[in-house]
Amino acid sequence: EALRLTKAKGRDSFDLLFTDMVMPQIGGKELAYWFRLTHPATRVLFTSGYPEKSVAHNGELVAGIAFLHKPYTPETLAQKVRQVLDN
């Protein structure tokens, strides 16, 4: 659905892509890659309920990647979104 939205008429930009790292058909990193091809200025915030080392590359999250571990409160989500958008 997110990739379909990148091609929607009248949709020139997105401020934030918020995606899970692990999904049934396409992973969050791959989704972010394809999404940012057409919208390079879009900020990305990843989330996952898996331990960080299981969703990281070689056991580490890449520097500069915003990540929010599940579970989180609405307040924590709002704070992280604000932080990502402000950076």
Side-chain angles (χ1 to χ4, degrees):
E1 183 66 14
L3 289 176
R4 186 188 66 74
L5 285 173
T6 65
K7 300 171 186 165
K9 292 183 180 181
R11 210 44 224 226
D12 295 330
S13 68
F14 295 86
D15 295 320
L16 179 73
L17 171 64
F18 180 51
T19 183
D20 204 302
M21 294 289 288
V22 179
M23 298 183 290
Q25 297 188 5
I26 184 173
K29 287 190 228 178
E30 187 177 0
L31 172 62
Y33 171 81
W34 289 110
F35 196 93
R36 293 188 77 197
L37 284 178
T38 54
H39 298 84
T42 301
R43 311 255 188 210
V44 180
L45 173 57
F46 293 103
T47 190
S48 180
Y50 290 98
E52 288 184 36
K53 57 184 157 181
S54 70
V55 294
H57 179 65
N58 293 330
E60 293 184 6
L61 287 173
V62 177
I65 290 193
F67 182 82
L68 183 60
H69 196 269
K70 292 178 184 177
Y72 46 81
T73 65
E75 293 80 15
T76 303
L77 173 60
Q79 290 171 353
K80 189 66 170 185
V81 166
R82 180 79 274 150
Q83 177 187 6
V84 171
L85 291 175
D86 287 347
N87 286 339

